[in-house]
Amino acid sequence: MVERVRSLLRKAEDPSVTDAESQAFTAKAAELMTRHAIAEAEARAQRGEDAESVSRLDFPVSGSGGHGKARVKALAKIAAAFGCQSAVRGNTSANTERTLIVVGTESALDSLRVLLPSITLQMEASARFTARNHIADLRELRNLDRSALATERSRFYRSFVRAYGHAVAERIREFRARLQEESEAGGGSGSGSADGEPIGAELVLRSDVDRVKEDFQKRFPDLKQPRPERTHHKAGYRAGYLRGRSAQLGMETAVGGGSTSSLPEGE
């Protein structure tokens, strides 16, 4: 399974594939890891073993100032879609070391260790390409100086990155919700706990979220809330969101066809 995931991510990172193809490969990798983690959790419950432990992942995030903060926001949303909770160290406007601290189950953190670097690479490549085209179009339409173009590019880029992360996280949450619906409709996967009660995806995911939340609050009891993002570029946010929603999740239904496909407001 791990080799299949790595193979999918190598294809996703190939510069010769389209954005839609790249995200489809990444989504399929996320699907494989999620299904594998739930199957393992169901098996542990069937054997009467304890649920997997909750742990911590420190993920370094590059970029100073607003660029780094936008990346942190995007990646934190993706971590949250896996049922994790996040804190940030060094998330200031200065050029400091920035770390996303993620608390989650071991299987969720294993997935994020593999996915976050690949998603970051794809997100960055897509943001640079789209921002470059946006600035090229502006040069033809308006008489802007170099300083104005640089400011425009930064605002577009940061909004694109935040929206891209939002859209990818949305797709992951929808897939996990479908797993729960499948479990409820089918009465679980047929496995059971030591006392005979069925253990399906819905119960596994709900229990994990509760345990992660409790552990996170113990680790960070006095966590400060981040300041709201002041930079918002409507065109950049829309472009990033649509890029993030453009692919299928690897199942039968196109993700963009659901009720959540309308463009959200920027944050």
Side-chain angles (χ1 to χ4, degrees):
M1 190 278 295
V2 173
E3 185 50 43
R4 285 184 65 193
V5 167
R6 288 175 177 165
S7 175
L8 286 166
L9 293 179
R10 283 195 294 269
K11 293 176 181 177
E13 295 166 12
D14 188 334
S16 67
V17 303
T18 66
D19 269 349
E21 290 170 334
S22 178
Q23 291 175 40
F25 289 133
T26 304
K28 186 63 178 178
E31 175 189 331
L32 283 175
M33 286 186 287
T34 301
R35 286 191 182 276
H36 177 74
I38 290 174
E40 288 293 312
E42 291 175 338
R44 281 193 300 271
Q46 188 177 26
R47 295 191 297 264
E49 299 173 0
D50 292 338
E52 66 178 331
S53 60
V54 174
S55 188
R56 164 179 166 171
L57 165 67
D58 287 16
F59 187 79
V61 180
S62 65
S64 62
H67 279 36
K69 293 177 75 172
R71 293 186 185 106
V72 161
K73 198 172 188 73
L75 298 178
K77 286 182 179 292
I78 294 169
F82 275 94
C84 301
Q85 297 208 7
S86 304
V88 189
R89 182 174 60 236
N91 196 35
T92 68
S93 59
N95 188 14
T96 58
E97 182 178 347
R98 201 181 310 265
T99 304
L100 182 65
I101 303 169
V102 185
V103 175
T105 61
E106 290 287 358
S107 60
L109 296 184
D110 285 344
S111 296
L112 291 172
R113 285 188 185 95
V114 176
L115 283 174
L116 287 183
S118 181
I119 290 174
T120 300
L121 182 65
Q122 297 171 56
M123 179 175 67
E124 292 291 331
S126 188
R128 285 195 301 268
F129 175 81
T130 310
R132 186 167 58 244
N133 286 347
H134 174 68
I135 295 302
D137 291 341
L138 281 183
R139 282 198 183 99
E140 294 182 4
L141 296 174
R142 302 182 191 175
N143 185 22
L144 298 176
D145 60 27
R146 182 175 298 180
S147 176
L149 288 173
T151 299
E152 175 72 11
R153 184 190 183 282
S154 291
R155 293 177 62 244
F156 184 99
Y157 182 96
R158 294 169 189 177
S159 294
F160 183 103
V161 166
R162 292 200 310 273
Y164 190 102
H166 177 101
V168 171
E170 206 171 59
R171 290 182 14 242
I172 293 170
R173 285 196 304 271
E174 288 166 359
F175 169 65
R176 288 166 67 91
R178 282 204 293 274
L179 283 182
Q180 293 184 18
E181 292 170 2
E182 290 173 7
S183 178
E184 292 169 355
S189 63
S191 60
S193 63
D195 58 6
E197 291 295 320
I199 302 295
E202 190 269 339
L203 290 178
V204 170
L205 294 175
R206 187 171 61 196
S207 172
D208 286 350
V209 168
D210 291 340
R211 292 189 302 111
V212 168
K213 183 177 181 180
E214 181 181 355
D215 187 279
F216 184 83
Q217 290 174 342
K218 289 179 181 178
R219 291 173 187 261
F220 303 102
D222 302 315
L223 189 66
K224 295 180 181 179
Q225 292 298 315
R227 295 179 181 179
E229 178 59 50
R230 291 177 295 177
T231 302
H232 180 62
H233 192 292
K234 286 187 177 181
Y237 199 91
R238 179 176 180 80
Y241 182 81
L242 293 177
R243 289 285 178 121
R245 293 290 310 193
S246 62
Q248 292 189 349
L249 195 62
M251 299 177 73
E252 294 83 0
T253 306
V255 172
S259 61
T260 57
S261 59
S262 59
L263 186 67
E265 292 296 324
E267 299 176 3

